[in-house]
Amino acid sequence: MRWKCTCAYDGREYAGWQKQNGQISVQQVVEEVMATFFKEPVGIQGSGRTDAGVHALEQVFHFDQDWKHGGEKMVKAFAALLPKSIQVSSVVEVEDDFHARFSAISKRYFYQIKLGDADPFEDPFCWSIPGPIDFNLLNAALELFVGEKDFAAFASSRGNGLEYETTVRTIQEAKLRQDSSFIRLSFQADGFMYKMVRSLVGTAVNVGAGRLSLEQLEKVFETKQRIPLVQAAPAKGLFLEKVFY
């Protein structure tokens, strides 16, 4: 039996989604809990990695295991054993050919920014920006990101020597939404590379703040070379919002 699960997590305590030697990850904690109620080790496959400190509203993972009590009872089993920083919200049986990663057609992330100083309850989940932002320039930068493009300048190496097969990605949507003193930048694409969303955010903010011109941003795409003003925004403001299948 193959099961599809959706989960949310507060990424502050974890070194990202994927298991890593010597560090606590979300995947590790979930698998340890599953080993408790299945009475044997169970491996799970996530839709993709999230970086250390990044949050998720709807991460997806799947696993194969016999379970005759239905998805709702499994959700209750997770709730009884998982820490409060991780919540499995749904469990459904799926076809054997479903794969959390390879069946996904796109993902949507959003990044939360506070204009001004964040209070102690807001700070863990946003990036505080003190200076003024020109929203017209910020929107213009977002428009430049949309479409099928080579995002080589916006990806970071994981330090493991592995190269991407291609750095071309298709961003279907890049939007700005403002709610009082918060702004939210959302990105939906067929895939993202390591620190790509955070680099897009940091770059767009530098355009909105007048530190980087639109002409310079266009040049970055032409040269495919990262420059200092293509900087990664802090992890704490980033959320994996939804995985589409």
Side-chain angles (χ1 to χ4, degrees):
M1 301 171 74
R2 178 157 293 189
W3 300 92
K4 174 189 174 188
C5 307
T6 58
C7 70
Y9 48 85
D10 175 348
R12 287 178 293 173
E13 301 177 25
Y14 304 104
W17 163 263
Q18 188 162 326
K19 287 192 292 188
Q20 301 174 51
N21 290 332
Q23 299 185 74
I24 299 174
S25 70
V26 178
Q27 180 183 7
Q28 173 191 334
V29 172
V30 172
E31 287 184 351
E32 287 174 354
V33 162
M34 292 173 69
T36 299
F37 60 76
F38 282 122
K39 305 286 194 267
E40 63 180 353
V42 179
I44 63 177
Q45 295 287 332
S47 70
R49 302 179 179 186
T50 54
D51 304 336
V54 173
H55 317 292
L57 299 184
E58 192 179 296
Q59 171 69 283
V60 177
F61 64 90
H62 82 263
F63 65 94
D64 297 324
Q65 190 73 17
D66 288 334
W67 174 268
K68 299 178 181 179
H69 310 294
E72 289 187 10
K73 285 197 174 180
M74 201 184 304
V75 169
K76 291 179 180 177
F78 275 120
L81 295 171
L82 282 170
K84 294 298 183 184
S85 53
I86 304 173
Q87 180 185 56
V88 172
S89 55
S90 73
V91 178
V92 295
E93 188 177 358
V94 291
E95 297 295 327
D96 289 346
D97 62 352
F98 172 83
H99 195 286
R101 178 183 174 191
F102 299 121
S103 298
I105 57 174
S106 66
K107 296 176 186 176
R108 185 167 66 223
Y109 283 84
F110 71 80
Y111 194 95
Q112 192 159 256
I113 295 171
K114 175 67 181 286
L115 300 175
D117 293 329
D119 68 34
F121 305 102
E122 298 166 339
D123 185 70
F125 306 104
C126 69
W127 179 22
S128 297
I129 297 177
I133 295 292
D134 185 319
F135 291 127
N136 290 327
L137 286 175
L138 185 54
N139 268 316
L142 294 178
E143 288 174 8
L144 283 177
F145 296 147
V146 175
E148 182 181 287
K149 299 188 177 185
D150 192 327
F151 289 92
F154 300 88
S156 296
S157 168
R158 290 187 182 273
N160 53 14
L162 296 177
E163 297 292 332
Y164 294 105
E165 277 188 28
T166 176
T167 51
V168 174
R169 299 290 186 275
T170 300
I171 292 186
Q172 297 127 2
E173 181 181 284
K175 287 187 175 181
L176 164 68
R177 190 176 79 195
Q178 183 174 9
D179 180 13
S180 185
S181 61
F182 280 94
I183 59 174
R184 179 176 288 189
L185 306 182
S186 65
F187 302 87
Q188 185 171 333
D190 59 359
F192 296 96
M193 293 174 285
Y194 182 46
K195 291 188 179 180
M196 177 176 160
V197 180
R198 291 165 57 192
S199 296
L200 294 174
V201 170
T203 303
V205 166
N206 280 332
V207 171
R211 293 186 287 266
L212 179 69
S213 71
L214 292 169
E215 291 74 22
Q216 287 173 304
L217 178 54
E218 289 175 336
K219 189 73 172 177
V220 168
F221 276 108
E222 290 172 12
T223 63
K224 304 175 188 176
Q225 297 297 313
R226 195 179 185 100
I227 61 175
L229 287 172
V230 176
Q231 64 182 94
K236 63 181 182 176
L238 184 59
F239 294 76
L240 171 58
E241 184 177 6
K242 189 172 181 62
V243 185
F244 296 89
Y245 293 95

